[in-house]
Amino acid sequence: MPRSFLVTFIKSGKTVEVAENEGVLGAGLQAGVTLAFDCRKGRCKTCMVRVDGIIDQSEAWLISNEELADGYALICVGKPRSDLRVHA
Ligand code: FES
């Protein structure tokens, strides 16, 4: 049974439970949150937003180390590793 975390989308104020093996973007869309996206493969940056917390970015091909250091993430391939606050 995968662990899950609480992910809050700040603009809508919605909080959803997201499993550790689930993408944050897909979980948000499923809950009715309006989120920008295109490729859903970590390759276009359309979904890039600031995220507070620990989010797995091992499949986020296009994000730079500077963007990661600034707290940005590609949420389409981002899986939670802690509760998160998503600035979208
Ligand atoms: S939708 Fe393309 S990188 Fe996330």
Side-chain angles (χ1 to χ4, degrees), residues 22-42:
E22 195 181 354
V24 169
L25 173 82
L29 293 174
Q30 208 165 15
V33 181
T34 302
L35 296 163
F37 67 91
D38 186 4
C39 74
R40 298 186 79 163
K41 292 186 170 137

Side-chain angles (χ1 to χ4, degrees), residues 9-76:
F9 296 88
I10 291 174
K11 286 185 187 161
S12 66
K14 273 198 180 145
T15 299
V16 297
E17 202 172 321
V18 184
E20 64 183 345
N21 59 356
E22 195 181 354
V24 169
L25 173 82
L29 293 174
Q30 208 165 15
V33 181
T34 302
L35 296 163
F37 67 91
D38 186 4
C39 74
R40 298 186 79 163
K41 292 186 170 137
R43 296 176 190 271
C44 77
K45 284 186 170 176
T46 306
C47 68
M48 188 168 83
V49 291
R50 274 189 51 229
V51 175
D52 302 330
I54 304 169
I55 181 167
D56 183 295
Q57 288 288 272
S58 53
E59 294 171 48
W61 305 108
L62 213 60
I63 199 163
S64 70
N65 288 337
E66 289 76 21
E67 287 161 340
L68 287 170
D70 285 343
Y72 286 92
L74 303 183
I75 58 171
C76 65

